[in-house]
Amino acid sequence: PHYLDNCLYRIRKAESSPEKVEIIVVDFESSTSIYREYEKICRIYNAILHRIARRGRLFNLALLRNYGARKSTGDYVVWCDVDTLIPLNTLDRVKEILIKNSKTFIIGRVFMDKGWRKPDFYKSLTDSKMRELVIAQKLRFAWKGFGGFVVTDKEWVYESRGFNESYVRWGYEDNDFWFRSVVVKKKPFTYLDHFGDLSEAEYMDRKNWFIDELHPDDIVMIHQYHDPAY
């Protein structure tokens, strides 16, 4: 539950217009005790919690994302993974981009934390401390990350039918949605960092992308460390 708490804490602090930001959390039939913890956390941050019954299905991230999008009432959808922490200027940057072109497909990529932290560690991080952490501890940059933080217009969610639910577990549903949106549909596209598109050769040449210096305009998101099976 502390992953969700940390995530929602950062999102609510990032808002400039809280009344205009609707937060929807979708749970895939967690245990009763965990779900009750989620209920408490969602009440704190005024988030709407939905629960989907597994009915024997494998974990399906695309299903959860699409369900949440259909329940949303706004003109835009922001998908944010529960283990992702955003800096406080993230939503303002998103608004700036959408004002220029309302059909832009936006991706926020994360830096992967690499060790266990106390539950309250991430809440104590200011934006400047997040940037310092990335540099000082050489956190790896998720250069192919198309799913941790995604923004698009609601019209495109319905036209594209969202994420492909034929992928199960973590099955490249994010890469597939990016491909259909940017390569096939040719929607305008931007990252929230300055690194741009990287080839695998470029990535390996930079030793898995440990960053020595960040651009002032980079939106530095951090992936909370957890067991890969979580």
Side-chain angles (χ1 to χ4, degrees):
H2 67 272
Y3 298 116
L4 177 63
D5 190 11
N6 291 334
C7 177
L8 298 188
Y9 175 80
R10 299 293 304 185
I11 291 173
R12 282 302 186 202
K13 285 185 69 68
E15 297 171 354
S16 56
S17 303
E19 72 283 357
K20 295 182 179 180
V21 178
E22 175 186 49
I23 299 179
I24 295 174
V25 177
V26 185
D27 173 70
F28 202 34
E29 200 172 340
S30 297
S31 67
T32 301
S33 60
I34 293 296
Y35 185 76
R36 286 174 179 166
E37 290 296 316
Y38 290 162
E39 287 181 315
K40 294 176 184 176
I41 293 168
C42 287
R43 281 197 292 269
I44 292 172
Y45 299 106
N46 192 27
I48 303 167
L49 177 62
H50 292 275
R51 192 181 199 188
I52 297 180
R54 282 184 179 266
R55 299 193 181 95
R57 294 175 292 194
L58 295 173
F59 181 81
N60 190 320
L61 185 57
L63 172 68
L64 303 184
R65 289 175 171 171
N66 290 341
Y67 184 91
R70 289 194 297 270
K71 292 295 183 180
S72 66
T73 60
D75 295 328
Y76 300 94
V77 177
V78 178
W79 288 281
C80 183
D81 283 356
V82 69
D83 49 20
T84 297
L85 302 176
I86 67 172
L88 302 189
N89 60 336
T90 303
L91 299 182
D92 285 338
R93 177 70 61 79
V94 167
K95 291 175 188 176
E96 291 172 5
I97 294 169
L98 293 176
I99 287 172
K100 292 179 181 178
N101 190 327
S102 63
K103 301 301 181 182
T104 304
F105 191 84
I106 304 172
I107 294 290
R109 295 183 284 194
V110 300
F111 289 88
M112 311 294 291
D113 202 2
K114 54 187 179 182
W116 289 105
R117 307 283 188 181
K118 293 181 179 180
D120 60 348
F121 171 80
Y122 293 111
K123 274 190 178 180
S124 69
L125 290 176
T126 61
D127 288 1
S128 61
K129 290 294 184 182
M130 290 173 70
R131 298 172 75 91
E132 290 172 11
L133 181 70
V134 165
I135 301 295
Q137 299 205 9
K138 296 185 179 297
L139 301 189
R140 181 171 62 83
F141 180 51
W143 66 292
K144 278 192 172 181
F146 293 130
F149 186 92
V150 181
V151 184
T152 194
D153 55 283
K154 189 72 168 291
E155 183 180 344
W156 174 238
V157 174
Y158 286 119
E159 181 183 340
S160 66
R161 299 186 180 180
F163 291 88
N164 188 336
E165 295 177 17
S166 65
Y167 295 101
V168 295
R169 299 189 186 274
W170 290 267
Y172 296 101
E173 72 290 322
D174 47 1
N175 300 64
D176 172 85
F177 189 44
W178 170 86
F179 183 84
R180 288 186 288 115
S181 301
V182 177
V183 179
V184 178
K185 181 66 174 179
K186 300 189 182 305
K187 288 178 69 65
F189 168 58
T190 188
Y191 292 110
L192 293 178
D193 56 69
H194 79 280
F195 303 109
D197 291 314
L198 305 169
S199 68
E200 189 161 355
E202 289 176 306
Y203 177 71
M204 297 306 295
D205 185 56
R206 288 290 299 273
K207 298 180 180 179
N208 295 329
W209 277 82
F210 300 131
I211 305 300
D212 298 319
E213 185 176 358
L214 289 163
H215 192 281
D217 290 336
D218 284 336
I219 297 294
V220 177
M221 300 183 182
I222 291 180
H223 176 276
Q224 301 177 72
Y225 180 83
H226 57 76
D227 187 304
Y230 174 79

